[in-house]
Amino acid sequence: MGMTIKEATWSEGKDLAFEINKRVKIAREKYGSDDVINACLGTLADDNGDIIALDSVYKRLDEMDKKDIASYAPIEGEEEYRKLVIETLFANYKPDGYISAIATPGGTGAIRSAIFSYLGVGDPLICHDYYWAPYRKICQEFGRDFRTYEFFTDDFSFNIDAFRKEVETSLKDKDRIAPLINSPGNNPTGYSLSDEEWDQVIEFLKEKAADKNKKITLIVDVAYLEFAGDGDMQRRFFKKFSNLPENLLVIVCFSMSKSHTAYGLRSGAAVAISKNKEIIEEFEISLSHSARCNWSNGTHAAQNILIDLEKEENKGEYLDELVDLRTMLEDRAKEFVEVSKEKNLTMIPYFGGFFTFIPTPNAFDITRKLEGENIFTIPSDKGIRVAICGVAKDKIRRLVEKIAYYINEEK
Amino acid sequence: MGMTIKEATWSEGKDLAFEINKRVKIAREKYGSDDVINACLGTLADDNGDIIALDSVYKRLDEMDKKDIASYAPIEGEEEYRKLVIETLFANYKPDGYISAIATPGGTGAIRSAIFSYLGVGDPLICHDYYWAPYRKICQEFGRDFRTYEFFTDDFSFNIDAFRKEVETSLKDKDRIAPLINSPGNNPTGYSLSDEEWDQVIEFLKEKAADKNKKITLIVDVAYLEFAGDGDMQRRFFKKFSNLPENLLVIVCFSMSKSHTAYGLRSGAAVAISKNKEIIEEFEISLSHSARCNWSNGTHAAQNILIDLEKEENKGEYLDELVDLRTMLEDRAKEFVEVSKEKNLTMIPYFGGFFTFIPTPNAFDITRKLEGENIFTIPSDKGIRVAICGVAKDKIRRLVEKIAYYINEEK
């Protein structure tokens, strides 16, 4: 006999990336970090494979009054934090309308609360078919219906027709839907929707929202925003969220994990945009209720770090470090793309983010063989996710060559 | 029109304690901390009204490798953290059986996941009728049925008959129930169940579990454990959770917030005890799934602080500081009890924890008047919760006298 309710009983609770990461640790202890390529977990590592913790960020923690670490944050987050999240997130491309941010534990908490508050049981979350697995898990946890469409056309551009078709189909039998798009720097593919592709998405959803019986919530996961361009261009699409119909709400999910190398501090926010003030107030109340009932309040130190970093005397140092990180990642990605071309290895076009992606139907086989050579990547039905965020540039060639070797072997 | 689903639409998302605390901040800025008595929020403050952050705890953070702060914790929590939570929680009174701990954000996360995984929609959570409001909110959030029974007999001992009756009634129409008991040092009353009262609870639930169609989950919130006795006596009841029937699961909710003055770091654990190994494995999988889907993983720094504190060279300093805190709180409580007696003010018997409680049907009126004198407390239908954790001993007399004054005025 079991004790958990049916809806909370699962055959497997382990997360693939975290489980493989445990094997990486064992391999590093056994063989040393030089001989191990850790391309599994989404955290930025230096050329020795050690996680990077930005000085500018952690100096703020060192200097912080202990009272500001020990004390509770307000349930919805520090007021200044909420304000600065909106300012730094949108920068020069802040959409017109009412906007509010509610603090959450990382981006996960924001996505979770968007799905929980805006989809009923059985309502569809509509996601591209290359996706971060927790989107599906969250839908399972709360009985929401996880549906996917083909992310890419044959030449790897955004498949707007597939998107349109899935939205149409879903709206036929459901009045509430939530499309979720993880861009720029999509996890696991590295793809970013172009501004034109965003225009198509928005125009189409506006059309659908002409039916006032429909409630559409567009969830946008921008966890990799700071690593998907020069910090300006990749923000332009935010402006398109201005003046949307009232029954088309946008929730942007912000995370400090990657932008601030603050994964373990668990801080993010759900940021809602609407031209209707009441819809934003309702958002604040609903998400604060969820906060109180699930994690109570956010990590106060992380919120205070963001507040301190935005002070004139600290901001420059952080932005400089961020440019260095971005450049390091771009160099790795460039090397990956070049060697892939050289080896005729098909990859999804990389525009940014922590991952590159090699499509293959034999990913589980191949990644097992790669593990035999101390190369750790993440397999899925669609291919291999390669966390270039964790691999030194001078190891990239070996990494790509080995992948190409085993892919060809399977052919 | 609104956009949130009916089940996630609330008229009021604000938390009373946190809202009143905002007014305290304003009053302190206006009148200075000497003239303000902040007895609203459950955080330990020194005699100046400033929150206490233990040196022994925050030195561990200062000395911690930044990599161990920046990196993700495993979803279920660091293995060593999970082990140490069990050891330090139960100490010499570890129940016999299989035991596992899953990391959560504070005690809130543990309570939330116990309710989410072990009660279906409409199933009753059975709680004493003086209770921490989020228990009820969590039930609302997830459609569980929050039911209460009279906590106390007329002479303020645990009302076992009322408990038995509510359990009986609930089991008549439901196969799953979860009694929740917040003891020792109950919030908001300061009450602790005696070992004999615990015996009665356990014996009765064992009787009810004789019907194998019933699934009973006893949730025990011990957030105030370290402030409810000498650290030993108040743990004896844990041993009673040994060898219970398989369909009577116990989940103890642990929090670092109070014991480590680490409120803002958001770290706790749900600790399950069963004589059946499979039930514990099912618990681990279910709660890990919830973790991944709601907050992803815990604050790594907090887990590492607990691990570091348990090292031989650090443990003594922490335990010494904890004794000092406990003594400070006991002195305040003693003063409160004495002045109350002197003023003939009826209070619920205080055994430990951060709060004393004055029963009155006019709490909202009285606390508003107290605010006029810069005394901040928390009203409820049943009376006034007084956070003595936040009030210097030499202010306690004034605090009690003012409460007695307004209580008598209302009579």
Side-chain angles (χ1 to χ4, degrees):
Chain A
M1 61 152 265
M3 283 294 287
T4 50
I5 60 169
K6 183 169 61 70
E7 296 83 355
T9 305
W10 310 100
S11 53
E12 178 57 67
K14 305 242 182 283
D15 184 86
L16 195 59
F18 280 82
E19 288 308 302
I20 296 175
N21 197 48
K22 286 179 188 168
R23 297 207 289 274
V24 172
K25 280 189 185 168
I26 294 164
R28 281 185 65 168
E29 275 165 26
K30 201 166 164 188
Y31 302 103
S33 62
D34 268 5
D35 290 332
V36 174
I37 295 183
N38 179 6
C40 77
L41 205 57
T43 47
L44 279 160
D46 61 21
D47 287 352
N48 297 318
D50 293 321
I51 190 171
I52 296 169
L54 290 185
D55 268 355
S56 58
V57 169
Y58 290 97
K59 263 197 249 169
R60 302 291 80 75
L61 184 63
D62 280 340
E63 289 168 7
M64 198 175 289
D65 189 326
K66 299 305 183 245
K67 294 181 182 66
D68 297 325
I69 304 173
S71 55
Y72 287 117
I75 286 167
E76 68 279 13
E78 282 288 348
E79 211 175 309
E80 187 69 9
Y81 173 79
R82 298 171 60 205
K83 208 185 101 212
L84 289 171
V85 162
I86 294 171
E87 277 181 28
T88 59
L89 174 63
F90 297 129
N92 292 321
Y93 298 98
K94 189 173 160 182
D96 303 328
Y98 293 94
I99 302 181
S100 180
I102 300 292
T104 57
T108 305
I111 294 157
R112 171 257 175 243
S113 286
I115 292 174
F116 186 84
S117 286
Y118 292 93
L119 290 177
V121 170
D123 288 337
L125 184 86
I126 299 173
C127 187
H128 28 70
D129 64 353
Y130 294 73
Y131 59 86
W132 187 52
Y135 301 148
R136 190 189 66 239
K137 283 197 180 181
I138 294 168
C139 288
Q140 290 169 343
E141 174 97 351
F142 297 120
R144 275 58 173 167
D145 188 13
F146 184 75
R147 298 183 186 180
T148 59
Y149 58 91
E150 274 189 25
F151 198 173
F152 301 115
T153 58
D154 289 346
D155 61 348
F156 289 113
S157 63
F158 180 68
N159 194 336
I160 183 71
D161 290 334
F163 173 77
R164 284 190 187 119
K165 199 175 153 200
E166 187 51 51
V167 169
E168 292 272 17
T169 307
S170 294
L171 283 173
K172 255 176 212 153
D173 55 315
K174 293 287 181 182
D175 285 337
R176 282 181 182 277
I177 63 164
L180 185 157
I181 293 176
N182 171 213
S183 175
N186 173 269
N187 171 5
T189 64
Y191 192 81
S192 299
L193 270 71
S194 68
D195 287 349
E196 294 67 34
E197 287 166 341
W198 270 114
D199 280 334
Q200 292 177 313
V201 167
I202 300 290
E203 276 316 305
F204 179 68
L205 293 179
K206 274 165 82 171
E207 272 173 40
K208 293 294 116 186
D211 179 349
K212 295 301 164 200
N213 291 318
K214 304 298 181 186
K215 293 180 197 281
I216 302 172
T217 304
L218 173 63
I219 303 171
V220 187
D221 181 358
V222 298
Y224 299 93
L225 181 71
E226 298 298 356
F227 301 95
D230 70 358
D232 199 15
M233 300 288 278
Q234 82 270 29
R235 283 181 159 85
R236 286 189 306 199
F237 76 105
F238 286 139
K239 199 73 187 171
K240 304 177 196 296
F241 301 150
S242 306
N243 300 312
L244 298 180
E246 293 187 8
N247 56 335
L248 172 52
L249 177 68
V250 179
I251 299 178
V252 179
C253 300
F254 163 82
S255 170
M256 284 180 69
S257 295
K258 286 85 179 173
S259 57
H260 293 76
T261 63
Y263 321 90
L265 283 177
R266 314 308 308 133
S267 197
V271 183
I273 306 136
S274 173
K275 68 174 173 187
N276 182 322
K277 193 179 168 197
E278 282 166 33
I279 284 171
I280 293 303
E281 286 167 354
E282 178 193 64
F283 162 84
E284 290 175 340
I285 293 173
S286 187
L287 268 77
S288 297
H289 196 280
S290 277
R292 187 51 158 158
C293 292
N294 287 283
W295 50 79
S296 207
N297 38 68
T299 310
H300 205 181
Q303 295 179 16
N304 289 329
I305 284 174
L306 190 104
I307 294 168
D308 289 343
L309 274 182
E310 288 302 308
K311 288 178 182 158
E312 212 44 50
E313 65 269 29
N314 300 327
K315 191 159 186 171
E317 190 191 349
Y318 165 65
L319 292 178
D320 288 348
E321 284 200 316
L322 189 57
V323 168
D324 289 347
L325 272 192
R326 195 183 291 143
T327 307
M328 181 192 75
L329 188 63
E330 281 168 0
D331 287 347
R332 293 174 182 179
K334 213 172 145 195
E335 174 81 353
F336 194 101
V337 171
E338 276 169 18
V339 183
S340 295
K341 263 189 197 145
E342 196 185 297
K343 298 287 161 192
N344 282 316
L345 186 66
T346 301
M347 62 180 286
I348 292 178
Y350 174 87
F351 292 100
F354 283 14
F355 310 103
T356 53
F357 197 90
I358 309 299
T360 165
N362 308 311
F364 289 90
D365 245 25
I366 293 167
T367 56
R368 203 175 45 244
K369 287 174 186 167
L370 289 168
E371 277 200 26
E373 309 222 22
N374 281 329
I375 295 173
F376 295 86
T377 56
I378 305 284
S380 71
D381 290 343
K382 297 202 160 284
I384 303 168
R385 186 188 85 168
V386 185
I388 51 168
C389 56
V391 185
K393 188 184 165 191
D394 63 13
K395 284 179 170 180
I396 295 272
R397 173 166 289 275
R398 179 165 167 249
L399 169 65
V400 179
E401 285 178 349
K402 287 290 176 188
I403 296 173
Y405 173 81
Y406 287 113
I407 292 251
N408 286 328
E409 198 189 58
E410 295 275 343
K411 268 179 188 162
Chain B
M1 62 152 266
M3 283 293 287
T4 50
I5 60 169
K6 183 168 63 68
E7 297 83 354
T9 304
W10 310 101
S11 52
E12 177 57 67
K14 304 239 183 282
D15 184 87
L16 196 58
F18 280 82
E19 287 308 302
I20 296 176
N21 197 49
K22 286 179 187 168
R23 297 206 291 274
V24 172
K25 280 190 185 169
I26 294 164
R28 281 185 64 167
E29 276 165 25
K30 200 165 165 188
Y31 302 104
S33 62
D34 268 5
D35 290 332
V36 173
I37 295 182
N38 179 5
C40 78
L41 204 58
T43 47
L44 280 160
D46 61 23
D47 288 352
N48 297 320
D50 292 322
I51 190 170
I52 296 170
L54 290 185
D55 269 353
S56 58
V57 169
Y58 290 97
K59 262 196 251 170
R60 301 292 79 76
L61 185 64
D62 280 339
E63 290 168 7
M64 198 176 290
D65 189 327
K66 299 305 182 241
K67 295 181 181 67
D68 297 326
I69 305 173
S71 55
Y72 286 116
I75 287 168
E76 69 279 11
E78 281 288 348
E79 212 175 307
E80 187 69 8
Y81 173 79
R82 298 171 60 205
K83 207 185 102 214
L84 289 171
V85 162
I86 294 171
E87 276 181 28
T88 59
L89 174 62
F90 297 130
N92 293 319
Y93 299 97
K94 190 173 159 183
D96 303 327
Y98 293 95
I99 303 180
S100 180
I102 300 291
T104 58
T108 304
I111 294 157
R112 171 258 175 244
S113 286
I115 291 174
F116 186 84
S117 286
Y118 292 93
L119 290 177
V121 170
D123 287 337
L125 185 86
I126 300 173
C127 188
H128 27 71
D129 65 353
Y130 294 73
Y131 59 85
W132 187 52
Y135 301 149
R136 190 189 64 239
K137 283 197 182 183
I138 294 169
C139 287
Q140 290 169 342
E141 174 97 351
F142 298 120
R144 275 58 171 168
D145 188 13
F146 185 75
R147 298 182 185 180
T148 59
Y149 58 90
E150 275 189 24
F151 198 173
F152 301 114
T153 59
D154 289 345
D155 61 348
F156 288 113
S157 61
F158 181 68
N159 194 336
I160 183 71
D161 290 334
F163 174 77
R164 286 191 186 117
K165 199 176 152 199
E166 188 51 51
V167 169
E168 292 271 17
T169 308
S170 293
L171 283 174
K172 256 177 210 151
D173 56 314
K174 292 288 182 182
D175 285 336
R176 282 181 181 276
I177 63 164
L180 185 157
I181 293 177
N182 171 214
S183 176
N186 173 270
N187 171 6
T189 65
Y191 192 80
S192 300
L193 270 71
S194 67
D195 287 349
E196 294 67 34
E197 287 167 342
W198 270 115
D199 281 333
Q200 292 177 314
V201 167
I202 300 292
E203 277 316 305
F204 179 68
L205 293 179
K206 275 165 82 171
E207 271 173 40
K208 293 294 115 185
D211 179 347
K212 295 301 165 199
N213 291 319
K214 303 299 182 186
K215 293 180 196 280
I216 302 172
T217 304
L218 173 62
I219 303 171
V220 187
D221 181 357
V222 297
Y224 300 92
L225 182 71
E226 299 297 356
F227 302 95
D230 69 358
D232 200 13
M233 300 288 278
Q234 81 271 26
R235 284 182 158 85
R236 286 188 308 197
F237 77 105
F238 287 139
K239 199 71 188 173
K240 303 176 197 296
F241 301 151
S242 306
N243 300 311
L244 297 180
E246 293 187 9
N247 56 333
L248 173 50
L249 177 68
V250 179
I251 299 178
V252 179
C253 301
F254 163 82
S255 170
M256 283 179 69
S257 295
K258 288 85 180 172
S259 56
H260 292 77
T261 64
Y263 321 91
L265 283 178
R266 313 308 308 131
S267 197
V271 184
I273 306 136
S274 173
K275 68 174 174 187
N276 181 321
K277 194 179 168 198
E278 283 166 32
I279 284 172
I280 294 303
E281 285 167 355
E282 179 193 64
F283 162 84
E284 290 175 341
I285 293 173
S286 187
L287 268 78
S288 296
H289 196 281
S290 277
R292 186 52 158 158
C293 292
N294 287 284
W295 48 80
S296 206
N297 39 68
T299 310
H300 205 180
Q303 295 179 16
N304 289 329
I305 285 174
L306 190 104
I307 294 168
D308 288 344
L309 274 181
E310 288 301 310
K311 289 178 182 157
E312 212 43 49
E313 65 269 28
N314 299 327
K315 191 159 184 168
E317 189 191 350
Y318 166 64
L319 292 178
D320 288 348
E321 284 199 316
L322 189 57
V323 168
D324 290 347
L325 272 192
R326 197 184 287 144
T327 307
M328 181 193 76
L329 187 63
E330 280 168 0
D331 286 348
R332 292 173 182 178
K334 214 172 144 193
E335 173 82 354
F336 194 101
V337 171
E338 275 169 20
V339 184
S340 295
K341 263 188 198 147
E342 196 186 298
K343 298 286 162 194
N344 282 316
L345 186 65
T346 301
M347 64 180 285
I348 292 178
Y350 173 87
F351 292 100
F354 282 14
F355 310 103
T356 54
F357 198 90
I358 309 299
T360 166
N362 307 311
F364 288 90
D365 247 25
I366 293 167
T367 57
R368 203 173 46 243
K369 287 174 185 166
L370 289 168
E371 277 200 26
E373 309 222 22
N374 280 331
I375 295 172
F376 296 85
T377 56
I378 306 284
S380 70
D381 291 342
K382 297 202 160 287
I384 302 167
R385 187 187 83 167
V386 185
I388 51 169
C389 56
V391 185
K393 189 184 163 190
D394 64 12
K395 283 179 170 178
I396 294 274
R397 173 167 290 275
R398 178 166 167 249
L399 168 66
V400 178
E401 284 177 350
K402 287 290 176 189
I403 296 172
Y405 173 81
Y406 288 113
I407 291 253
N408 286 326
E409 198 190 58
E410 294 275 345
K411 270 179 187 164

